Amino acid sequence: MALFDPKAKAISNLQKTIDEKNLTITKNYDKIGRLYYGQYKDMNVDVTTDINTCCEAVSKLIDEIKDCEKRILFEKGLKLCPNCHKENNLEYAFCFACGAKFGTKEEELHASVATPVVAETPVVEASETPVTPKEN
Ligand SMILES: [Zn+2]
């Protein structure tokens, strides 16, 4: 039954994405360990930049996983309270546990899904509308 439920499929895909991201996090931790050990063996080697790159990658992946978890909740008709992090029904206007007020459904989804995308999107000048021809 679950196989024919599109929601279940979406949730299973998101879960798969989370698993893959967790695997990448583990690989990064592994790399950080090896870099650190390399420096321990040879103090002349500066691995700070490489380690920071790995740490940034891990932080990004953790954010992306949180994003996927929110989407899974959304598919299940649930959302997390921004205040106490308890699971609430999507329809609730206030958290059943702590009473914190939720935004609209659209705001909730945007807050959880759109934020990381917006952060990476370069700022486009509003005054100029560049006309880019399709052909080269
Ligand atoms: Zn709450």
Side-chain angles (χ1 to χ4, degrees):
M1 169 199 121
L3 284 170
F4 301 104
D5 183 353
K7 269 185 194 249
K9 181 115 174 67
I11 290 168
S12 125
N13 281 340
L14 284 162
Q15 193 55 57
K16 220 178 280 174
T17 308
I18 291 175
D19 291 345
E20 281 163 13
K21 288 186 192 299
N22 272 321
L23 197 69
T24 314
I25 287 176
T26 306
K27 281 180 188 165
N28 272 288
Y29 283 155
D30 188 65
K31 197 176 168 191
I32 292 165
R34 267 181 278 134
L35 285 166
Y36 191 86
Y37 183 72
Q39 190 158 54
Y40 165 82
K41 292 299 272 185
D42 181 0
M43 289 302 271
N44 294 319
V45 180
D46 184 14
V47 292
T48 315
T49 313
D50 291 336
I51 287 178
N52 283 348
T53 306
C54 290
C55 289
E56 280 158 20
V58 169
S59 294
K60 194 166 176 282
L61 286 159
I62 289 171
D63 283 347
E64 286 168 4
I65 287 171
K66 279 185 192 160
D67 208 61
C68 289
E69 284 168 347
K70 274 185 195 166
R71 286 195 211 199
I72 288 176
L73 283 174
F74 187 83
E75 291 293 340
K76 289 178 177 173
L78 298 169
K79 60 186 172 184
L80 284 186
C81 171
N83 185 45
C84 71
H85 303 289
K86 287 243 163 61
E87 287 181 9
N88 277 258
N89 191 301
L90 264 185
E91 307 300 320
Y92 291 174
F94 297 91
C95 174
F96 79 94
C98 74
K101 193 182 191 307
F102 290 111
T104 65
K105 251 190 277 185
E106 287 70 25
E107 281 169 6
E108 294 289 329
L109 189 61
H110 268 271
S112 61
V113 176
T115 312
V117 181
V118 171
E120 282 173 349
T121 309
V123 178
V124 179
E125 295 290 334
S127 55
E128 274 180 27
T129 313
V131 182
T132 317
K134 292 267 189 223
E135 59 276 296
N136 290 328

